[in-house]
Amino acid sequence: MNSGKLVSVSGGEGPYKNIIQALSRLDLSPFAGKKILIKPNCGREMKSCGSVNTHPQAVAAVIDAVRNVGAASIAVGESPILGVNTIKAFELSGIAAVATERNVPLIDMDKRKPVIKPVSNGRILDELKFCADIFDFDYIVSVPVAKAHMHTQVTLGIKNMKGCLWRHEKVRLHQLQYKEGISFPEKTLDTAISDLASLLLPNLTVVDGFLGMEGLGPSSGDAKESDFAVASFHPLAADMVAAELMGFSFEEIHHLRIIKERGIDS
């Protein structure tokens, strides 16, 4: 996979064309003959064309771009927040429709038993439970919608990987306490996200910034039409650029800064 830090940015053309243009500057040839999992942010049952969930046309653009380079198979998967029916969330968001049109299967990643992975040198976590489906694919494409977040300032490509954690494991990351005698100045959630990143980062990040969210995200903020897309093989670089386009500095996004400091961003 391309290890460069090229970040491709496009805007002003709507969710589909923005992403097609951003991806056109990247070499997607490593996807040829590979199994690709597209991981949008679709964690809530809401009828929406963006803002809360990834815009369906953003997902459509990623499917088309990956298929055009000859991917062996493509699927769209999600493990939403507790109490949400994955397939219903896909249907209400419009993602199910674009996937069906393209004969791409949808995966409820909570159906199978989890895969438990130890966290080596974890700052706050000893192990994590992952959705088993993610290990059936060669590459994961994180396709978040650009949103502000009440706890982590932003939720973008790296934090979107929380949706690869099995069922209530996502909630557990919000309930952690530092071990006795060990503490860091950052919120435990930011530190936990960095531990997650030490085990799982997206191979390609494609940020849907067409209709994002500002204020009290990830679900109660105000929709913000920004009309941009960001794409990169480098997950930290993609999130840094997207955060800046949203008006945040790198120093404000603590989980990204910790990941950079720990050297787990490549």
Side-chain angles (χ1 to χ4, degrees), residues 2-10 18-19 21-27 156 204-207 228-245 265:
N2 189 330
S3 61
K5 295 188 178 181
L6 172 66
V7 179
S8 179
V9 180
S10 294
N18 284 347
I19 287 175
Q21 289 177 3
L23 289 175
S24 71
R25 304 187 190 103
L26 302 181
D27 178 14
L156 293 165
L204 172 65
T205 299
V206 183
V207 179
F228 71 81
V230 172
S232 180
F233 288 113
H234 193 280
L236 183 61
D239 282 6
M240 288 170 60
V241 170
E244 289 177 2
L245 289 171
D265 60 305

Side-chain angles (χ1 to χ4, degrees), residues 209-225:
F210 172 67
L211 186 64
M213 180 178 290
E214 60 184 3
L216 198 61
S219 60
S220 300
D222 300 316
K224 175 70 174 180
E225 186 171 332

Side-chain angles (χ1 to χ4, degrees), residues 23-45:
L23 289 175
S24 71
R25 304 187 190 103
L26 302 181
D27 178 14
L28 300 182
S29 62
F31 286 173
K34 302 298 184 180
K35 298 177 181 178
I36 311 301
L37 175 66
I38 296 173
K39 168 61 181 73
N41 186 334
C42 190
R44 289 167 171 80
E45 296 175 13

Side-chain angles (χ1 to χ4, degrees), residues 26-27 32 36 57 59 62-63 69 96 130 146-147 161 179 183 212 216:
L26 302 181
D27 178 14
I36 311 301
Q57 286 302 311
V59 176
V62 176
I63 292 172
V69 297
F130 288 96
K147 296 192 290 187
M161 292 294 95
K179 300 172 185 176
S183 66
L216 198 61

Side-chain angles (χ1 to χ4, degrees), residues 63 67 76 90-91 94-106:
I63 292 172
R67 178 167 282 162
V76 177
F90 278 141
E91 290 172 349
I95 291 173
V98 299
T100 299
E101 288 170 3
R102 289 161 172 78
N103 197 30
V104 169
L106 300 170

Side-chain angles (χ1 to χ4, degrees), residues 83-193:
V84 170
N85 181 290
T86 306
I87 301 305
K88 186 175 180 180
F90 278 141
E91 290 172 349
L92 288 172
S93 71
I95 291 173
V98 299
T100 299
E101 288 170 3
R102 289 161 172 78
N103 197 30
V104 169
L106 300 170
I107 301 176
D108 176 356
M109 299 199 303
D110 284 334
K111 283 195 169 183
R112 295 166 63 184
K113 291 183 178 180
V115 174
I116 301 174
K117 295 283 188 178
V119 182
S120 300
N121 301 313
R123 288 191 173 186
I124 195 167
L125 293 166
D126 295 317
E127 63 180 26
L128 279 166
K129 294 179 181 179
F130 288 96
C131 300
D133 295 278
I134 67 173
F135 300 104
D136 295 338
F137 294 86
D138 299 304
Y139 298 125
I140 299 176
V141 184
S142 180
V143 192
V145 58
K147 296 192 290 187
H149 194 285
M150 68 179 78
H151 298 304
T152 59
Q153 296 285 50
V154 298
T155 174
L156 293 165
I158 293 174
K159 187 174 176 298
N160 189 40
M161 292 294 95
K162 274 182 80 247
C164 294
L165 296 177
W166 187 76
R167 297 187 184 178
H168 58 278
E169 189 76 339
K170 292 178 285 295
V171 176
R172 185 168 75 90
L173 266 63
H174 290 260
Q175 301 172 334
L176 296 167
Q177 299 293 327
Y178 284 119
K179 300 172 185 176
E180 186 175 353
I182 300 175
S183 66
F184 295 91
E186 297 83 17
K187 294 178 180 178
T188 54
L189 177 58
D190 289 310
T191 301
I193 293 170

